[in-house]
Amino acid sequence: MVALTGTKTYEPGPLRWGIIGTGGIAGQFADDLRHSGEGELVAVASRSTARAEAFAARTAAPRSHGTHAALLESDDVDAVYVAVPHTAHRDVAVAAIEAGKAVLVEKPFTVNRAQAEELVKLARSRGVFLMEAMWTRFLPHMVRIRELLAQGRLGDVRLVTAEHGVWFRRNPAHRMFDPHLGGGALLDLGVYPLSFMSMVLGRPSSVLATSHAGDTGVDAQTAVVLGYDEGRQAVATTSMEAWLPNRATIAGTEARIDVDTMWYRATTFTLTTRSGATERYEFSVPGSGLRFQTEEVARCVRTGLLESPVLPSDEVCQIMGTMDEVRAQIGLRYPGE
């Protein structure tokens, strides 16, 4: 972990957030921030004044800006949530880092590993906090799963499976179908199971991918098999053509964990031992669960950390590298790469 060596200080009270981007996930972020005492929304921004004003009205933001720069120049903004289309993550995050704000970048962190490493290098050199908004990792059921793994309750983990499939009505103008916006199943949906597998098993030693391409040039459905040391494996399935059960399993020599449907959201899970005994883990979460990542940002910046130990930047870069390898195997490149 990298300790913050700069002189950045924060006002007492909740971390003051600005949101750049006005899409659906940005709205959920604003809504969930209200469930936390660790953060408050003070400003929103878009490249369109009308969109910024409409989003501010929808989210009860005190202030809106018609440019990103105006928000980044605001002294009352401590942290910035970057929720623009994938292909704009790098540029907006660079501007936020250079403005000295703590930065939370919506997943996927960037389009590729090279961009990710560029952001991490810049943030470290400026002494600025930076994290990917892989909000799933901070949910209560994921915290408990990590505890059970650390306790060795599953024995030697041999296989991890996870899927993320959501059906999207075909619309070439929608960001999911637009290669210029980093569309496709892998980057938007597949990053969830790949990050989950990284959390459980670490860096893979081999990657094998197969995919079906949609008619707009992005991947519509992709499956990935990851290999690890001593024969461990992980299988990730992602689709924007089919509504999958969206479950996840971690199987070990002593027990397995089955995470209920929509495993990447706030949910519940069951631990089943080799003898068939079961333990049920239930959690109550107000809102959608995005607030937990904001609380991690607040905790880190107030204790002088540049990165979260739960999701360090080097791991994020490694996950982006895995997706680079998947895209190389399935022949998926984005304009400008």
Side-chain angles (χ1 to χ4, degrees):
M1 182 48 53
V2 182
L4 185 59
T5 57
T7 58
K8 178 76 173 180
T9 59
Y10 295 87
E11 295 293 328
L15 204 65
R16 300 170 298 181
W17 284 90
I19 297 176
I20 296 180
T22 59
I25 192 68
Q28 289 182 47
F29 183 93
D31 290 343
D32 273 26
L33 200 55
R34 298 191 189 98
H35 293 288
S36 175
E38 300 296 324
E40 63 177 344
L41 179 60
V42 298
V44 299
S46 170
R47 293 192 184 281
S48 160
T49 299
R51 282 200 302 271
E53 290 176 348
F55 186 71
R58 213 162 54 238
T59 59
R63 192 172 72 251
S64 66
H65 298 283
T67 67
H68 300 169
L71 184 148
L72 294 175
E73 291 167 0
S74 302
D75 291 336
D76 65 344
V77 173
D78 300 317
V80 172
Y81 172 54
V82 177
V84 294
H86 304 337
T87 48
H89 284 187
R90 179 262 175 203
D91 290 347
V92 176
V94 164
I97 292 167
E98 291 180 338
K101 310 299 185 184
V103 185
L104 180 65
V105 186
E106 181 52 39
K107 54 80 205 155
F109 194 55
T110 53
V111 171
N112 54 45
R113 181 168 189 159
Q115 290 184 356
E117 291 178 338
E118 178 187 359
L119 290 187
V120 171
K121 181 179 180 181
L122 179 63
R124 288 173 175 173
S125 70
R126 298 297 180 93
V128 172
F129 178 86
L130 176 66
M131 189 176 87
E132 181 185 47
M134 180 49 71
W135 58 283
T136 295
R137 191 165 293 201
F138 302 94
L139 292 170
H141 73 287
M142 287 294 173
V143 174
R144 188 68 182 116
I145 286 171
R146 288 197 296 273
E147 291 171 349
L148 293 169
L149 290 171
Q151 293 166 8
R153 291 290 307 279
L154 273 62
D156 179 16
V157 174
R158 303 302 303 166
L159 180 67
V160 179
T161 64
E163 54 194 19
H164 192 178
V166 179
W167 178 81
F168 285 85
R169 185 182 301 278
R170 187 186 179 282
N171 176 6
H174 190 279
R175 65 176 183 83
M176 288 293 292
F177 295 85
D178 189 346
H180 291 87
L181 298 180
L186 176 68
L187 224 58
D188 198 86
L189 307 176
V191 65
Y192 284 93
L194 292 175
S195 182
F196 178 65
M197 290 156 184
S198 178
M199 181 189 82
V200 177
L201 291 174
R203 182 193 302 268
S205 56
S206 65
V207 178
L208 180 63
T210 184
S211 182
H212 164 62
D215 59 8
T216 62
V218 300
D219 70 303
Q221 187 163 280
T222 298
V224 182
V225 179
L226 303 178
Y228 298 84
D229 293 344
E230 300 179 1
R232 299 176 182 89
Q233 294 178 325
V235 181
T237 309
T238 185
S239 177
M240 50 190 275
E241 295 183 318
W243 185 259
L244 301 180
N246 291 320
R247 299 190 182 98
T249 294
I250 306 172
T253 54
E254 300 298 325
R256 76 170 186 272
I257 287 173
D258 295 302
V259 190
D260 292 347
T261 189
M262 308 295 272
W263 65 268
Y264 43 85
R265 294 186 178 179
T267 189
T268 55
F269 69 89
T270 301
L271 185 148
T272 305
T273 68
R274 200 170 56 207
S275 66
T278 62
E279 299 173 10
R280 185 71 174 158
Y281 293 85
E282 307 270 357
F283 305 88
S284 177
V285 175
S288 300
L290 275 71
R291 73 176 174 92
F292 297 105
Q293 63 182 345
T294 70
E295 292 170 357
E296 175 69 358
V297 175
R299 183 191 71 80
C300 288
V301 299
R302 295 196 187 284
T303 54
L305 295 177
L306 284 178
E307 302 168 15
S308 166
V310 178
L311 186 60
S313 294
D314 286 343
E315 182 185 356
V316 173
C317 291
Q318 171 255 304
I319 294 166
M320 293 306 308
T322 298
M323 290 202 289
D324 282 356
E325 176 59 27
V326 171
R327 290 198 299 118
Q329 291 186 22
I330 65 178
L332 175 61
R333 290 182 61 84
Y334 293 108
E337 283 195 289

